[in-house]
Structure formats: structure tokens, C-alpha cells
Amino acid sequence: ANPIALYSGMWSSGIWLNTNVYWECNAACHYCYVRNARASQRKQFGSTRGDYDGATRFSQIITRAFSDKYNDHDPVQFALRHRMPVMLSNNSDPFPSIEACYGYTYQYLSAYADVGMPVLILTKFPGWDVLDKDRYLTLLSDIDRLWIEVTLTSLDEEMLAEWEPNAPSAKDRLEIIRTLTNAGIDVSINVVPFIPEVAFKG
């Protein structure tokens, strides 16, 4: 697996690169197409690949893109070198509970901060309660061009508990949003999937 890849939706979104730090996350959302695909792959290959560490490969790609070995015919290196926007991520939440053990997302974001990459983070923050919040808030504040999309599919706590059993409650996510905005970080709410008259009643 490649920790940095061109994002297939770049032409409509303006996001050029996508970084999936982890193989999967612990939110356990029932509607997640990635979770369902991973289950099929586990059955087929007999492995979760949860021990995959792309941090070394990631470091090599970043180093090469900003060194005299830069190859402008490599589209990933080109996008990095010209600081095209990058997303974390479309196939896994960048802040799962295991981030507290491995810290790979912290490493990736630190590297992007060092080279001045614009970063979009898409997350439900399933591991936020076990992270060193002050440390992560300091890092997030150090990224010059950062915006965070917090996915919130409903304000109905019972529905969230059914749809996203291991993700933070709506109340907790709203509190996380408040914490981020108080730190001066740009935040938007991502309402996907959206089911009218179900996700947000009345």
C-alpha cells in the first residue's frame, strides 16, 4: 500500500493527494464501504494488515520530493513539491484509538507542516478521548493551511449509537468542534450519509 496517492476526486474537489495513515479505524460505522471491503479482504487474505506501517515509505516520498532527487514526471512528487492540497483520508479515520499507541498521524502531519502542505482532515475523532489533546492541538495550530471536516451524520444520539457505535456522541463531537475553533482552527461539519427526516428529525 502507498501512504500517499493521487486523489481520484481531485478535479471536482481541488484535493490532489490522499493519505491513508491506517488500514482501518475503530468507529465501526455500519454504512462504511471501506469497513465492508476490509471484512471481505480479511476473509480472502486472512489478515487485517493492521500492522502495516507506511511511515517509513511516507518519509522517503516526502524526502525525495523536496531533494535534488525530485522527479517532476512523478505526479505524487510533483503535487508534493508544488504543495497541492492533501486529504487525510478517505479510507480510514486519521484519529483512531490506536493513534495513541503508534502516533503515525502525528508523524504525517508533522512532516506536512514542515514542508508547508495545505491539509484537509476528514474525521469523526474516534480516538480523541485517549490522545494528548494539547499536543495535537499545538501541532494542528502549526499547520499554516489547515481545515478539518468533522463528520456528524445525526444529532439523534440513539441513531448515532446504532449507526456509528464506537464513534463519539453528537454532544462529544460538538464539544471537539468547539475546542478546535477556540484554538483558531477552521472547522466544517460533513453530513454524510444524509437521510432526510431520519438523520435530522423535525
Side-chain angles (χ1 to χ4, degrees), residues 24-29 92-93 95-99 125-127 129 165-167:
E24 55 189 1
C25 74
N26 60 294
C29 302
S92 176
D93 197 295
F95 294 105
S97 296
I98 59 172
E99 170 67 10
F125 286 107
D129 60 337
N166 295 335

Side-chain angles (χ1 to χ4, degrees), residues 37-69:
R38 295 289 191 254
S40 174
Q41 290 166 342
R42 278 194 297 272
K43 183 176 180 180
Q44 181 178 357
F45 299 111
S47 171
T48 65
R49 293 178 56 192
D51 59 348
Y52 169 69
D53 172 11
T56 300
R57 174 72 175 137
F58 175 84
S59 177
Q60 292 170 346
I61 295 170
I62 292 285
T63 299
R64 184 174 293 272
F66 291 93
S67 73
D68 56 7
K69 295 181 179 180

Side-chain angles (χ1 to χ4, degrees), residues 17-178:
L17 295 168
N18 185 46
T19 295
N20 282 293
V21 181
Y22 292 101
W23 173 244
E24 55 189 1
C25 74
N26 60 294
C29 302
H30 291 302
Y31 54 78
C32 180
Y33 67 92
V34 177
R35 179 170 176 255
N36 294 331
R38 295 289 191 254
S40 174
Q41 290 166 342
R42 278 194 297 272
K43 183 176 180 180
Q44 181 178 357
F45 299 111
S47 171
T48 65
R49 293 178 56 192
D51 59 348
Y52 169 69
D53 172 11
T56 300
R57 174 72 175 137
F58 175 84
S59 177
Q60 292 170 346
I61 295 170
I62 292 285
T63 299
R64 184 174 293 272
F66 291 93
S67 73
D68 56 7
K69 295 181 179 180
Y70 164 67
N71 176 8
D72 64 0
H73 295 294
D74 182 318
V76 171
Q77 289 188 40
F78 178 88
L80 286 167
R81 182 83 167 216
H82 293 276
R83 295 174 176 83
M84 304 300 188
V86 59
M87 174 174 63
L88 280 75
S89 59
N90 71 332
N91 282 342
S92 176
D93 197 295
F95 294 105
S97 296
I98 59 172
E99 170 67 10
C101 299
Y102 297 104
Y104 293 149
T105 294
Y106 191 93
Q107 294 178 39
Y108 284 41
L109 289 175
S110 295
Y112 282 141
D114 287 343
V115 297
M117 292 291 294
V119 177
L120 164 66
I121 297 175
L122 180 61
T123 180
K124 294 185 181 79
F125 286 107
W128 187 245
D129 60 337
V130 296
L131 298 180
D132 182 339
K133 297 174 184 59
D134 289 340
R135 181 169 179 258
Y136 279 81
L137 285 171
T138 297
L139 172 61
L140 293 171
S141 298
D142 286 342
I143 301 175
D144 288 336
R145 291 174 290 173
L146 169 75
W147 64 107
I148 298 178
E149 287 190 5
V150 179
T151 300
L152 184 59
T153 51
S154 178
L155 294 176
D156 185 319
E157 299 289 11
E158 290 186 6
M159 181 162 292
L160 279 186
E162 179 182 351
W163 285 9
E164 307 165 358
N166 295 335
S169 66
K171 179 182 177 182
D172 287 344
R173 268 178 262 186
L174 291 172
E175 184 58 36
I176 293 170
I177 291 169
R178 186 176 295 108

